[in-house]
Amino acid sequence: MRAIPPLLLFCLFLLLLPSIEMKKPGKGRGLKGARHKLTRDRARARGPRRHSRSGPSGLVSPNCLESTESGQVFVDCQDRRLSSIPTANTWSNKPKHLLLARNRIKVLHDGAFLGYENLDSLDLQQNQISLVEDGAFQGLTKLTTLLLQHNRLQTLSEEALIPMPNLGYLRLYDNPWNCFCPIDSLVRTLQVPSNRNLGNHARCAEPIWLKNMKLKHVDPELLCKEPDPANNQQNDEMGYTGVLEPSSIRSKPDATTVCYTYHYPQIRMDCSNRGLTEVPSGIPDNVVHINLSHNSISHLKARDFHAAKSLRTLNLSNNNMEHLDKGSLTGLLHLQELDLSNNQLKFVQYGVLEDLYFLLHLKLEGNLWVCDYSIQYMVYWLSLHPGVSPSGLVCHSPLEYAGESVEEYVKAYNRECPKDRQQSRPDQDQTDPELWNTLMEAQGELEEEELEPSALRVPQKYQIIRLS
């Protein structure tokens, strides 16, 4: 067969080229081509798909909230089901605070935060982080606060902290730390005296003879030594757990370890649904909001909040609370909102509310308010604080007043009192002001004389008898 000349092949290709172009998607006529063109235009408008430095995220842009407060940029990506760190160029401004709590992040890869050099705080608590590579925090030279509590970390190298020379606040508690040789460098770093706010409350989960011991208190020399099987067996039989503090010293739960603490934009603690039977101790003095709802705190004791001097909102709803001690709210001079709804309160004793000078909202619905004399302190206090907006103050008992506003009950009570006193007066002479004052003066002089000890009484030389 004779070969086809190259010039002839080139001419045939030029003749077939228009038909090939017509068969490309979107180039033909009709509905199919129009749909493809519309899809292509939409894709171009959205721009190229972005990927995270810690792996592809599958999201064009995470649905996060960007805000600016006091000149600092906050990026709130909490509860967004993220499995990786969004890239830094996702945001319109360089964030100062990045909130990634309550997501699904499992691994922090090397260079995960490249481009976030301006960060001052990073919140990664309540994720599923089990591995932090040594270069994960590379470039975060300005970072001062790192929150890694409530994760699944078993070990962490000191080299992961080296890129953060200004780190002054590190939370690591509620992680299952394996106190073996690989964690030696981290323990030594935490125990440096100048690092007093790094790794507080973090405790060993393994081995059994170090369980529940704070990393701050573990002897680093023991971590890399081979354990003695005989001693280990003896410790197991004796039930030794290595806890330094006796349980009798700290009977109350610690707020820092029991509650979830969020530092930005304002420090708040979420202690709801934690099975608490009393207010936890150790509430920091800079906390602004505390949520203690849906627990079993039946009794609020004096000085429970004495250290929470900056508190603005306090939620104690749904606790089956029956009693508030006098002094239980002492020190809350800046409190603006108090939620006592859905409890078992029948009255509030005199003096409980005296420190709440700046209170604005008081939620009282869902309680067993008894409309008798004991309820009048609450109404009297509210009358002296007209800026307070109460809700739900409704009589629960006695039955004749059930469902009635406590304020209306007190007004009706005060209207009826003068009539009762007028009907009970047996003698019109008792209403004479001059006679009543004379009798009261005489009675006072007599009582004063009788109360004075007989040895101290001065004998009267003259006695005046009034005949008129």
Side-chain angles (χ1 to χ4, degrees):
M1 180 182 294
R2 190 172 58 180
I4 301 175
L7 183 59
L8 182 59
L9 287 175
F10 181 73
C11 293
L12 290 173
F13 175 75
L14 291 178
L15 292 173
L16 294 174
L17 184 61
S19 61
I20 294 174
E21 288 291 321
M22 290 297 293
K23 291 181 180 180
K24 283 186 178 181
K27 290 291 185 178
R29 298 177 180 178
L31 183 60
K32 185 175 181 180
R35 284 177 177 172
H36 181 83
K37 184 177 184 300
L38 180 61
T39 304
R40 183 190 60 195
D41 293 341
R42 287 177 178 174
R44 287 178 179 175
R46 286 195 299 263
R49 177 170 292 187
R50 294 172 177 170
H51 296 276
S52 168
R53 297 184 187 272
S54 58
S57 64
L59 293 174
V60 174
S61 177
N63 185 23
C64 302
L65 177 63
E66 295 185 59
S67 61
T68 302
E69 294 186 20
S70 301
Q72 297 188 348
V73 179
F74 291 79
V75 173
D76 188 352
C77 292
Q78 300 178 101
D79 292 302
R80 296 303 193 277
R81 300 183 178 182
L82 299 178
S83 59
S84 59
I85 310 300
T87 56
N89 58 5
T90 303
W91 322 116
S92 56
N93 296 299
K94 291 185 177 181
K96 193 78 171 177
H97 307 281
L98 180 59
L99 313 179
L100 291 165
R102 300 187 300 277
N103 280 294
R104 299 176 180 178
I105 302 170
K106 296 182 179 180
V107 178
L108 297 179
H109 294 288
D110 288 338
F113 297 97
L114 289 178
Y116 285 99
E117 290 80 8
N118 201 41
L119 275 186
D120 182 75
S121 69
L122 175 59
D123 188 351
L124 288 162
Q125 63 178 301
Q126 293 172 262
N127 277 275
Q128 304 169 22
I129 301 173
S130 60
L131 175 62
V132 177
E133 296 182 357
D134 291 347
F137 302 118
Q138 182 182 352
L140 301 184
T141 57
K142 298 181 181 179
L143 196 73
T144 63
T145 301
L146 176 59
L147 307 180
L148 284 169
Q149 67 267 32
H150 311 297
N151 276 290
R152 300 177 182 177
L153 289 170
Q154 296 180 331
T155 184
L156 180 66
S157 171
E158 176 199 17
E159 293 187 9
L161 305 180
I162 291 177
M164 301 175 287
N166 292 310
L167 190 64
Y169 193 90
L170 174 64
R171 289 295 193 189
L172 296 173
Y173 58 84
D174 196 23
N175 281 281
W177 296 107
N178 284 346
C179 292
F180 294 108
C181 196
I183 208 174
D184 170 74
S185 62
L186 175 65
V187 170
R188 293 180 185 274
T189 300
L190 299 181
Q191 293 181 357
V192 174
S194 60
N195 295 335
R196 63 181 181 274
N197 290 323
L198 301 187
N200 295 339
H201 308 289
R203 298 175 182 267
C204 299
E206 293 183 0
I208 188 66
W209 60 88
L210 293 177
K211 187 175 183 180
N212 290 328
M213 181 177 285
K214 289 184 177 180
L215 301 187
K216 288 272 193 181
H217 298 160
V218 173
D219 186 355
E221 301 296 333
L222 301 177
L223 296 176
C224 294
K225 286 185 177 181
E226 290 293 332
D228 187 351
N231 290 338
N232 294 344
Q233 183 178 0
Q234 183 179 1
N235 289 336
D236 292 345
E237 292 175 355
M238 295 177 62
Y240 176 70
T241 60
V243 179
L244 292 185
E245 306 116 349
S247 58
S248 59
I249 294 179
R250 302 205 64 168
S251 58
K252 296 183 70 174
D254 185 81
T256 306
T257 55
V258 171
C259 308
Y260 297 129
T261 306
Y262 306 99
H263 289 259
Y264 300 95
Q266 291 180 319
I267 299 180
R268 60 186 177 91
M269 302 188 78
D270 184 1
C271 310
S272 60
N273 290 293
R274 307 301 290 174
L276 298 172
T277 58
E278 56 185 335
V279 176
S281 62
I283 297 175
D285 58 0
N286 56 354
V287 172
V288 178
H289 312 281
I290 296 182
N291 183 0
L292 284 159
S293 64
H294 295 90
N295 284 293
S296 301
I297 305 173
S298 60
H299 184 190
L300 207 61
K301 301 175 184 177
R303 297 178 61 81
D304 269 346
F305 299 100
H306 72 281
K309 302 184 184 300
S310 303
L311 207 60
R312 297 295 190 276
T313 63
L314 174 59
N315 188 347
L316 290 163
S317 63
N318 297 279
N319 269 285
N320 293 320
M321 190 176 298
E322 299 176 354
H323 188 65
L324 304 178
D325 276 357
K326 187 175 181 179
S328 57
L329 302 175
T330 298
L332 303 183
L333 302 178
H334 302 285
L335 194 69
Q336 297 177 357
E337 182 174 328
L338 175 60
D339 191 347
L340 294 171
S341 60
N342 300 311
N343 283 292
Q344 303 293 318
L345 295 171
K346 297 180 179 179
F347 67 95
V348 174
Q349 64 174 328
Y350 180 84
V352 170
L353 306 173
E354 293 309 305
D355 276 6
L356 308 184
Y357 296 110
F358 298 101
L359 194 68
L360 298 176
H361 304 284
L362 181 59
K363 300 180 180 180
L364 303 168
E365 55 265 22
N367 283 282
L368 308 178
W369 302 114
V370 177
C371 285
D372 58 12
Y373 183 77
S374 61
I375 200 66
Q376 300 217 23
Y377 164 69
M378 174 76 77
V379 179
Y380 172 72
W381 185 88
L382 289 173
S383 67
L384 296 180
H385 298 79
V388 178
S389 175
S391 63
L393 192 55
V394 177
C395 300
H396 183 268
S397 63
L399 187 60
E400 58 183 305
Y401 300 114
E404 183 177 341
S405 168
V406 172
E407 184 179 3
E408 293 300 323
Y409 159 77
V410 172
K411 289 181 179 179
Y413 177 86
N414 292 332
R415 283 196 302 267
E416 293 174 359
C417 281
K419 297 179 182 179
D420 296 339
R421 288 197 296 267
Q422 186 176 2
Q423 293 175 359
S424 62
R425 292 170 185 166
D427 197 330
Q428 184 65 25
D429 292 338
Q430 294 183 6
T431 62
D432 187 353
E434 295 184 4
L435 179 60
W436 182 254
N437 292 335
T438 304
L439 292 174
M440 291 298 293
E441 291 174 2
Q443 184 178 359
E445 293 174 0
L446 180 61
E447 289 177 353
E448 182 178 358
E449 182 180 351
E450 289 178 351
L451 290 174
E452 189 176 12
S454 58
L456 299 178
R457 293 179 187 171
V458 180
Q460 296 181 2
K461 186 175 181 180
Y462 302 102
Q463 184 175 5
I464 298 176
I465 301 176
R466 183 176 299 172
L467 300 177
S468 58

